Amino acid sequence: MSKTEYVWVIQRDDGMYVNFMDNDDLTWYEHTWQATMTWSKHQAEKDIVLWKLQNCRPVKVKISIVGEDDE
């Protein structure tokens, strides 16, 4: 059984993805699985404004959930 979900992450022009840390700090990673994910594009856009991120945009990411039968 497989299922597909979509989330939004924030990507910088150089391809790095943002991760908002618990201590009100942010870090940049090169992999989407390390990025902070949100369920809505609107929330990603709000985070870009809130954190005053430059050269960034929301990106839709597809997550496929695969069961043991698909291996």
Side-chain angles (χ1 to χ4, degrees), residues 8 16 26 34 37 45-46 50-51 57 70:
W8 292 88
M16 301 292 275
L26 58 93
Q34 295 172 301
M37 298 180 187
E45 291 169 336
K46 283 176 50 178
L50 176 69
W51 286 84
R57 64 188 175 99
D70 292 338

Side-chain angles (χ1 to χ4, degrees), residues 30-41:
E30 59 183 54
H31 303 288
T32 55
W33 59 268
Q34 295 172 301
T36 299
M37 298 180 187
T38 183
W39 295 109
S40 74
K41 181 179 181 181

Side-chain angles (χ1 to χ4, degrees), residues 2-69:
S2 66
K3 183 178 177 183
T4 302
E5 303 227 1
Y6 296 92
V7 295
W8 292 88
V9 297
I10 297 171
Q11 184 180 35
R12 207 164 51 185
D13 284 349
D14 64 0
M16 301 292 275
Y17 300 93
V18 72
N19 183 304
F20 301 109
M21 306 303 279
D22 292 332
N23 59 355
D24 291 331
D25 198 10
L26 58 93
T27 308
W28 295 94
Y29 294 100
E30 59 183 54
H31 303 288
T32 55
W33 59 268
Q34 295 172 301
T36 299
M37 298 180 187
T38 183
W39 295 109
S40 74
K41 181 179 181 181
H42 178 70
Q43 182 60 49
E45 291 169 336
K46 283 176 50 178
D47 288 340
I48 290 171
V49 172
L50 176 69
W51 286 84
K52 299 177 180 130
L53 301 176
Q54 300 293 318
N55 304 316
C56 294
R57 64 188 175 99
V59 175
K60 191 175 188 179
V61 177
K62 179 179 176 180
I63 300 174
S64 294
I65 303 168
V66 245
E68 292 180 14
D69 296 340

